[in-house]
Amino acid sequence: MSRFAFALALAPTAILAQEAPFRLALPIDCTPGEDCVIQNYVDADPGPEAADFTCGPLSYDTHKGTDFRLPTIARQREGVDVLAAAPGVVLGLRDEMPDILQGWDARRSLEGRDCGNGVTISHEGGWETQYCHMARGSIAVAQGDRVEAGTRLGAVGLSGQSQFPHLHLSVRKDGEEIDPFDPEDTATCGDAAPADTLWEAPLAYLPGGLLDAGFAAGVPDWFDIQAGEVVAEITTDTPLVLWGYAFGGREGDVMRLTVTGPDGVVVDNEVLLDKTQAQLFRASGRRAPEGGWTDGSYEGRIA
């Protein structure tokens, strides 16, 4: 009977766990491009000018976050939730500042609290997210709470350094501000978005568009448009005015306002934008004809 002796040498093998990539869920309960838009991106220009990651104008100098805006204050007052973008632990929060936009008579000194009411969350791997301009009294978490992606943090508000109702989201890695649309700083002018962003689901780049529109008996007040409280109050004998509220207007853009009625075209006007504006409105209309407007339906279109 033969015997065989054999040896098996096992070399130690190191199995390295790959760190999962950091990804962000949508931090606000809305659908971008439908009932909210991204008004501002991280400023990608290192100098005194400002540009978003596509070299477009949707930013301002030293802006360090992504602004998810609601179309009007009326929509904000209906209540729109702010959601945790990733799992983590609540580092800190503030919840006592009033909801007052810049330019309102009751505006107080911010004393460095430009973020207004908000929440900061720490994530694994040295990541942090910060959520600003939330509604006073809406914060739904406490310091030290563990949250998951999608956990309700509070509601969109008007607090802090804010000129429209929105959520400002800042993303940091080891204390350094990161653009979630261009985390590797590789975007080139004209790119809709780099291939590798921090978003779980792609977010389309919308360079501008309509926020709200409607009819009025005269050119509406700017505050009423921002508030979403323009009242038509049109009668047979009043002027008929079509107005459009937009974001991302660039010098040279054209807004076309058209009204048709039972007797045909009432208004057909192209308005040239003479400067770049983050938000704007334009209006066009006509006085009532002799004898008043013909009974029937009137339709407005804005492009």
Side-chain angles (χ1 to χ4, degrees):
M1 184 177 184
S2 300
R3 292 186 177 181
F4 297 89
F6 57 93
L8 179 62
L10 295 177
T13 302
I15 301 176
L16 300 178
Q18 293 268 338
E19 183 178 318
F22 182 67
R23 290 291 181 262
L24 299 170
L26 192 66
I28 181 173
D29 187 17
C30 64
T31 303
E34 294 185 14
D35 55 352
C36 63
V37 298
I38 298 178
Q39 174 79 63
N40 292 307
Y41 295 83
V42 173
D43 180 17
D45 188 298
E49 303 299 321
D52 60 45
F53 68 93
T54 72
C55 298
L58 294 183
S59 191
Y60 55 87
D61 192 27
T62 71
H63 188 242
K64 296 179 179 179
T66 304
D67 289 345
F68 295 86
R69 78 162 290 167
L70 303 177
T72 64
I73 296 170
R75 179 68 184 97
Q76 176 266 325
R77 286 175 173 161
E78 292 173 3
V80 177
D81 288 343
V82 174
L83 311 172
V89 176
V90 176
L91 278 181
L93 55 88
R94 181 165 53 232
D95 197 20
E96 74 279 359
M97 294 182 66
D99 290 283
I100 302 176
L101 289 182
Q102 290 294 314
W104 287 11
D105 291 341
R107 166 57 61 192
R108 306 171 188 171
S109 173
L110 296 174
E111 299 176 349
R113 300 175 297 171
D114 289 11
C115 177
N117 301 316
V119 175
T120 301
I121 299 175
S122 173
H123 312 277
E124 292 184 358
W127 291 93
E128 281 185 10
T129 52
Q130 184 176 17
Y131 310 75
C132 296
H133 311 307
M134 294 169 66
R136 180 166 63 180
S138 74
I139 304 298
V141 292
Q143 187 172 355
D145 281 358
R146 174 114 196 137
V147 298
E148 300 301 325
T151 297
R152 181 179 182 274
L153 303 178
V156 176
L158 310 173
S159 60
Q161 182 70 24
S162 181
Q163 295 182 330
F164 44 84
H166 72 288
L167 165 69
H168 171 104
L169 175 73
S170 286
V171 181
R172 293 184 283 270
K173 176 72 164 71
D174 298 326
E176 180 182 351
E177 302 287 347
I178 300 293
D179 184 349
F181 288 88
D182 185 21
E184 301 296 329
D185 195 21
T186 58
T188 57
C189 294
D191 283 353
D196 186 22
T197 74
L198 295 183
W199 300 105
E200 285 182 350
L203 289 176
Y205 178 85
L206 188 64
L210 280 176
L211 297 167
D212 201 8
F215 285 110
V219 176
D221 179 78
W222 173 231
F223 176 79
D224 290 340
I225 286 179
Q226 291 177 291
E229 296 176 349
V230 177
V231 179
E233 294 183 341
I234 298 167
T235 68
T236 302
D237 299 322
T238 64
L240 178 61
V241 173
L242 176 66
W243 57 268
Y245 180 30
F247 82 101
R250 303 193 192 192
E251 180 181 357
D253 283 352
V254 172
M255 183 182 287
R256 184 174 185 180
L257 302 103
T258 307
V259 179
T260 55
D263 299 326
V265 176
V266 176
V267 173
D268 189 6
N269 190 21
E270 291 188 346
V271 183
L272 179 68
L273 303 187
D274 58 2
K275 60 182 177 180
T276 296
Q277 290 180 278
Q279 54 180 343
L280 65 133
F281 88 95
R282 295 293 186 270
S284 187
R286 280 185 54 190
R287 293 187 177 91
E290 187 175 349
W293 298 107
T294 302
D295 288 346
S297 297
Y298 291 77
E299 180 180 90
R301 290 182 177 270
I302 300 175

